[in-house]
């Protein structure tokens, strides 16, 4: 029994009836009718297989003693996929797609993205271990092993993607903080000068208001009118340079990695699915 395509495999179960001690000269076995000699009861169902056909023929086995007549019966069985689709394929597809949610989370959400990556990876490994208990141990890779390995690769790839995003984002935030501190240090003399000018302007405004009050009283006494335009000192407008620091290129690179991954991972997983089903259903 070859399980390289498990669980997408077809199996042939042979059954041979042979005389133990009588040669063809003494006993000859043959099917009574060549057409439909074996009948299968349709009310009998196999839980994991579907009977595709029954093939019979006569054969002769030759050894040192002589020739012996054989009756050969072969049952062609096709494995049912319902159990494996529900228990293996669909859960793994959901987990792989669930690992892509981290691409839409903020790069600073360290706890959420790490928890999501670790949990999806552990859950996929648990499903693989559960499926492996029902399969005979063989020395070659089965179809379900290729599928599980591909899913683990995509989940682990999403986890590594966040490692790269976290590296660039952390480095970019550090560089942005350094640039902001540098700019604030450069603006410190300007801030001191501006505060000094404001204090001078307030002192001049106070002295100017006293002079205006004296001039106002003198005008009222000479003209006999009370309507006088009050002079206000023109205050110089100081424009403060922009202290905002743009995000570092590493932060932009981290965001770009997330944007690329949102398209790249679903595309590659779709290509993997198409190739997997075509190879194991149509080619092999």
């Amino acid at each position: 029994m070859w399980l390289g395509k498990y669980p997408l495999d077809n199996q042939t179960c042979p059954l041979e009836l042979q005389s133990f001690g009588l040669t063809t000269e003494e006993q000859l076995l043959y099917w009574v009718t060549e057409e439909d000699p074996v009948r299968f009861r349709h009310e009998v169902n196999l839980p994991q297989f579907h009977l595709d056909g029954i093939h019979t023929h006569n054969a002769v086995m030759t050894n040192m003693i002589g020739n012996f007549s054989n009756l050969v019966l072969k049952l062609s069985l096709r494995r049912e996929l319902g159990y494996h689709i529900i228990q293996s394929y669909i859960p793994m597809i959901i987990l792989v797609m669930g690992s892509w949610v981290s691409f839409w989370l903020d790069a600073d959400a360290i706890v959420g993205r790490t928890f999501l990556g670790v949990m999806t990876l552990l859950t996929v490994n648990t499903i693989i271990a559960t499926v492996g208990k029902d399969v005979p141990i063989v020395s070659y890779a089965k179809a379900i092993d290729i599928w599980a390995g591909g899913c683990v690769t995509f989940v682990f790839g999403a986890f590594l993607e966040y490692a790269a995003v976290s590296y660039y984002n952390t480095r970019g935030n550090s560089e942005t903080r350094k640039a902001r501190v540098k700019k604030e240090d450069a603006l410190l003399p300007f801030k001191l000068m501006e505060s000094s000018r404001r204090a001078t302007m307030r002192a001049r405004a106070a002295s100017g208001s006293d002079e205006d009050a004296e001039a106002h009283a003198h005008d009222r006494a000479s003209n006999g009118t009370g309507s006088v335009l009050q002079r206000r000192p023109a205050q110089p407008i100081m424009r403060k340079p922009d202290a905002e620091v743009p995000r570092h290129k590493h932060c932009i690179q981290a965001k770009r990695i997330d944007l690329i991954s949102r398209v790249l991972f679903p595309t590659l997983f779709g290509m993997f699915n198409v190739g997997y089903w075509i190879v194991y259903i149509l080619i092999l």
Side-chain angles (χ1 to χ4, degrees):
M1 181 179 292
W2 184 67
L3 297 174
K5 290 182 62 178
Y6 178 89
L8 307 173
D9 56 333
N10 298 325
Q11 299 295 337
T12 300
C13 297
L15 176 64
E16 296 186 10
L17 301 177
Q18 176 187 349
S19 175
F20 180 73
L22 301 178
T23 62
T24 54
E25 298 177 356
E26 300 171 325
Q27 185 183 58
L28 186 62
L29 301 177
Y30 60 91
W31 297 104
V32 177
T33 58
E34 294 185 1
E35 190 173 331
D36 197 16
V38 178
R39 297 178 181 178
F40 185 77
R41 297 177 61 182
H42 296 285
E43 61 269 16
V44 178
N45 295 320
L46 299 175
Q48 296 187 26
F49 293 93
H50 175 75
L51 182 63
D52 283 341
I54 301 175
H55 308 281
T56 60
H57 66 276
N58 302 325
V60 176
M61 189 190 75
T62 303
N63 56 24
M64 297 177 60
I65 300 176
N67 298 327
F68 295 88
S69 179
N70 286 12
L71 294 179
V72 180
L73 168 66
K74 292 184 178 181
L75 303 177
S76 298
L77 303 174
R78 174 170 47 85
R79 195 181 301 274
E80 296 287 355
L81 287 177
Y83 171 79
H84 299 281
I85 289 177
I86 295 174
Q87 297 295 326
S88 302
Y89 288 101
I90 292 180
M92 288 189 184
I93 290 175
I94 294 175
L95 288 173
V96 172
M97 295 177 66
S99 66
W100 302 339
V101 175
S102 64
F103 303 153
W104 277 266
L105 296 179
D106 189 78
D108 294 324
I110 300 176
V111 177
R113 296 186 70 159
T114 304
F115 177 79
L116 183 62
V118 172
M119 287 303 298
T120 50
L121 189 60
L122 292 178
T123 306
V124 169
N125 289 332
T126 302
I127 295 176
I128 294 173
T130 303
V131 173
K133 293 180 180 179
D134 301 330
V135 184
I137 299 176
V138 293
S139 59
Y140 48 84
K142 303 177 289 294
I144 192 67
D145 297 332
I146 301 299
W147 172 263
C151 292
V152 170
T153 301
F154 279 98
V155 172
F156 189 67
F159 192 66
L160 291 182
E161 185 270 349
Y162 173 63
V165 169
S166 179
Y167 167 77
Y168 281 106
N169 187 66
T170 302
R171 187 174 177 182
N173 289 337
S174 177
E175 295 295 335
T176 303
R177 285 193 296 269
K178 290 180 181 179
R180 185 177 292 111
V181 170
K182 280 185 179 181
K183 197 154 190 178
E184 289 178 355
D185 292 341
L187 290 175
L188 184 59
F190 175 82
K191 292 179 179 179
L192 295 176
M193 186 183 301
E194 185 179 6
S195 62
S196 176
R197 286 188 178 184
R198 287 181 178 177
T200 303
M201 289 167 56
R202 285 195 295 268
R204 288 180 179 178
S207 62
S209 62
D210 295 338
E211 293 177 358
D212 288 343
E214 294 177 0
H216 176 65
H218 182 270
D219 291 340
R220 290 182 61 184
S222 60
N223 299 331
T225 59
S227 58
V228 179
L229 295 177
Q230 183 178 1
R231 295 181 301 167
R232 292 184 181 179
Q235 297 181 359
I237 300 176
M238 303 295 295
R239 179 168 294 180
K240 182 179 178 181
D242 187 10
E244 290 297 325
V245 177
R247 299 193 69 184
H248 196 267
K249 62 180 181 179
H250 291 308
C251 295
I252 300 175
Q253 182 68 21
K255 186 64 176 178
R256 186 180 294 114
I257 292 175
D258 273 340
L259 294 176
I260 294 174
S261 299
R262 294 175 188 178
V263 179
L264 181 63
F265 274 78
T267 302
L268 293 179
F269 188 65
M271 294 172 60
F272 170 73
N273 269 271
V274 172
Y276 177 85
W277 294 107
I278 289 178
V279 169
Y280 282 101
I281 292 182
L282 300 180
I283 298 179
L284 296 181

